[in-house]
Amino acid sequence: MTDNGSHSAAELLAVMSSRSLEDGQTVFAGVGIPLLAATLAQRIHAPGLTILFEGGVLGPFIVPGELPPSTNEQRCTRQANMVLSNTDVLLLLQRGYVDIGFMGGAQIDRYGNLNSSYIGDAENPKIRLPGTGGGNDIASLTRMIVSMIHEKRRFVEAVDFVTSTGYWHGGTSRSDSGLTTGGPYRVITDLAVLGFDEETRRMKVEALHDGVEPDQVQDATGFELMFDDEIGRTEPPTADELAVLREMDPDRVYIA
Amino acid sequence: MTDNGSHSAAELLAVMSSRSLEDGQTVFAGVGIPLLAATLAQRIHAPGLTILFEGGVLGPFIVPGELPPSTNEQRCTRQANMVLSNTDVLLLLQRGYVDIGFMGGAQIDRYGNLNSSYIGDAENPKIRLPGTGGGNDIASLTRMIVSMIHEKRRFVEAVDFVTSTGYWHGGTSRSDSGLTTGGPYRVITDLAVLGFDEETRRMKVEALHDGVEPDQVQDATGFELMFDDEIGRTEPPTADELAVLREMDPDRVYIA
Amino acid sequence: MTKPYADLRRETETRDRSLREKVMSLEEAAALVDDGDHVALGGCTLSRTPMAMIWALIRARKKDLVVSRSITSTEGDLLYGSGASRHVMTSWFSQGIVWGVSRVMRHYTETGRAIFEEWSHMAMGVRYRAGAMGVPFIPVRSMLGSDLTGRIDGPKEMACPFTGDRLLLVPALNPDVALIHVQRCDAYGNAQMDGLPFMDADIAMAANRVILTTERIVSNSQIRRAPDRTRIPFITVDAVVEAPYGCAPHECYGVYEPFLPNLDAYAALIGRDAEAGVKEYLERYVYQPRDWVAYLDLLGMDNVIDAARRGRSVYND
Amino acid sequence: MTKPYADLRRETETRDRSLREKVMSLEEAAALVDDGDHVALGGCTLSRTPMAMIWALIRARKKDLVVSRSITSTEGDLLYGSGASRHVMTSWFSQGIVWGVSRVMRHYTETGRAIFEEWSHMAMGVRYRAGAMGVPFIPVRSMLGSDLTGRIDGPKEMACPFTGDRLLLVPALNPDVALIHVQRCDAYGNAQMDGLPFMDADIAMAANRVILTTERIVSNSQIRRAPDRTRIPFITVDAVVEAPYGCAPHECYGVYEPFLPNLDAYAALIGRDAEAGVKEYLERYVYQPRDWVAYLDLLGMDNVIDAARRGRSVYND
């Protein structure tokens, strides 16, 4: 992993993801970077943020040093406001109570379609991946933030399999398919913060991290990126942000 | 009300209804005669009978002298095995967990259609009745036992309004309408026990109560009844049965 | 009747769903309800009726509300009689089995001055559930063949594309406001109910605003000690009002049973003259009292004590 | 895939749904499962997995089971490796985030010897819920546009007759058998679960037979003192088996957390050689032990004590 100075790539992803969250939002988060990002946001600038776990947890309070190993185990329910069935927590997405869902994936394409099912041909795959889980539901029903390491083998011309629909074939094709709400909101990598063009729905670079040049991002991407006329620069992680992350994950299970 | 000797008409209905229940069945019962009938069956011949209340109660144990005033109040939950939402208890009918539902109504016709909505024209009714409640769901989704006082104004040529579909227009019309399960099973009155012809689905007399003659039943009915070639005779309520009823309802709220 | 999905999503998105204190008075909560709103009521018949909030809406002279509920009892009479609603959507409408058919409901509907839109009980529940799930309909196998479907707005028959079965698609209900009374909740609106759940969880999730009245407000940390008992999450709630005996003269599971003397007196009053009776009751019990406690005082200390003694008896076993 | 309604109703009608004792051994309960059955598993990932019953089915040499679950962890590996199932229907299949993708799942699916039928997590839940409600489908607004719908049997797109929205109708799942592990139930099968509910209540209602394993069997009168805590009613249950630590090495809320040393050792074993590894694990932990307690003995007293200490800590606050 890239290490921009005094922090790891994982820490950079967590910090940049957390800054994409706003106070008062309700956020669907998995364990790892998403949960760290959401917890960091609660501590720094979004005290009224509500976290949801796919295992059926609404409004947990994460205890530093006791990060849950998955979102479906009892450790997730610590001091939660409510536990409910997986079905019902996922239906909150469909009903519209969720503002942001965090996602990952093995591959992403220019329209934000994600693959977490098959590497190679689905009929005869090179690798059978673990599958969608609630990922497809998040991608279908709310705005998603994708958090990924920026590599050419991950940012591909065409995903081998559309597990989670982004802007599909671009333009209005997503809403034409029946997915009339949500869609990819941001892609946050260790190189840049990316968004999607309003019209074509192609991925575009919004801001570069400290010390990263545009070519470096394009070189790490398997398709042609759009660049804003004036490309922003993200502020590097602050000491406060890094301190919170390291307090949350003292054993560096996720932030190494 | 008719009083056949040493018991009231209500007691007769409760006893005859209880005898239509079999051990092991799951029964949807309202307060009043249905609940008395089900409780009586549990005490006399069907200890494994399960009672359901529309308010959301599964397997209550009714305490003598503490009959609940409706099926939607806390008294119904006394020592119940489970309480659940109204929606979920009614969905048990649709899923198929219920064997028998008890019903009443202001009017019934030859095909077992029931009216509990309007007397007169629905557009301009003489009487607006309280409505279906779960009655339509019971009639639509399981076998029903109707328990009514036998009067010409109740047993009518055509109900003013089909609140709860019985065999609809007779023949296969019920299942043609989409109601492929259940249907009227028995009508129990203070004069007789009635069923429905297998083919035409017309109401027919199966057995007469003690001291009742066929003409008396036909005279109390606003449409032409079918009679079995050999009409049975019901056994009068036993002292045991009446004793249980009077223990359950010592103030004679329902059995007067 | 089915709200377009884009509207449902936009309305929900613009709500403040954050963890924040929402405690207010009955009067302040009443201001969250607009004339003409579809107001769904929690509870069923005489149980967990959000009476204090209905009382507050009538006092605030709300008009043209469409009111929906699982089963409707005397609160429906008061809504008709006060003019707060001329349209009740429910499966059964009467004071209760022991008092017989509602004279007030009969009076207003038979004279064409109010609508009682009748759905089967299960269909009402499935409509709220569809609303809670964010789908425009759910199929049911009920109401087919009956005359009910001809007098209501919405259901559509369909042949199942999987099985060929004839089904009735019942449209989702997404009420503008839900009024729900609970035994306890915190200041953020996390509610934990005991006993019969009725349709309340689905109604809260389906609605666009939720007003909770509660016997008492407990700490958030008490809620968080038993998160598996929370039935309504704070993200759905817009107002929390502490209203002790907030269902009176109806019941609240484990806290009080119905106030029978009041219900008997009401039945006698409307039995003499439905319209004059309900208006007299409204004047005396709804408009005149200074506040909710003054209303309870009218019900009488002996009745409060008796209803509470019977109410908590469910926990004596 | 959708069971015809007439079959569903007939199968349910012929079940003995009366209040009767159903306590039996794991071996007796295993006899209620037929080769080829669709078996739905309660819990999710490492939580409340009905491991003891799965263990008993593998020991009973069941074959060709179609297994469905919310999210599948190591129990899926054991079902593939033993040949008990070659078809798992789930939304995510891997030991767990910290151990990465399942080598066993990869091995069996990539060589075409087993099927992993992938549905979205919400769609799995809605399918069970439709089954529980007795309807042939429920619409969802998910999975549209994706390649998932092309590789599974069943969903159909449709234009909503109310709103015109494009919807995906997901067909009901009515499993032949549900295996569900709970903290406590009575001898009749009234189950009260604590903590995360997962999809268990819907699965139990949807299935045609239910086998409950339980940490302990409590009296029916204990259940009846808190009927609002019952989540699975006895009318749906066919067998009750007391199996302490019945989810080991997975967790049971409030009773024990996962047995991490066993899970780490398992991951290392299959990391070396997926097929040989899972077969070695099966031999040692499933086939050889005399009984379930002998299996726990293999997991080790120190691990039992440690998992239980961590497990009950949720109630220390």
Side-chain angles (χ1 to χ4, degrees), chain C residues 26 100 146 162 185 213 287 291:
Chain C
L26 286 171
S146 78
F162 298 95
C185 69
T213 55
Y287 296 119
D291 56 21

Side-chain angles (χ1 to χ4, degrees), chain D residues 275-296:
Chain D
E275 185 162 359
V278 71
K279 287 193 189 301
E280 185 182 327
Y281 186 91
L282 283 163
E283 191 55 38
R284 172 137 191 244
Y285 287 98
V286 180
Y287 296 120
Q288 281 189 358
R290 193 179 61 254
D291 56 20
W292 182 250
V293 173
Y295 162 83
L296 295 176

Side-chain angles (χ1 to χ4, degrees), chain B residues 94-172:
Chain B
Q94 187 164 272
R95 175 61 185 78
Y97 282 109
V98 185
D99 296 288
I100 293 285
F102 273 105
M103 299 275 294
Q107 296 178 329
I108 190 168
D109 69 17
R110 77 184 68 213
Y111 298 118
N113 300 301
L114 285 164
N115 175 17
S116 50
S117 299
Y118 301 91
I119 298 298
D121 175 20
E123 275 303 317
N124 188 19
K126 206 148 57 175
I127 304 177
R128 182 51 163 116
L129 296 166
T132 167
N136 174 282
D137 305 309
I138 291 170
S140 297
L141 294 162
T142 192
R143 293 192 303 163
M144 67 171 172
I145 296 178
V146 179
S147 166
M148 278 169 85
I149 296 296
H150 213 132
E151 295 172 329
K152 216 163 192 158
R153 67 186 181 105
R154 294 171 182 269
F155 285 71
V156 296
E157 180 68 34
V159 293
D160 294 344
F161 187 87
V162 179
T163 307
S164 302
T165 315
Y167 288 114
W168 209 22
H169 309 309
T172 62

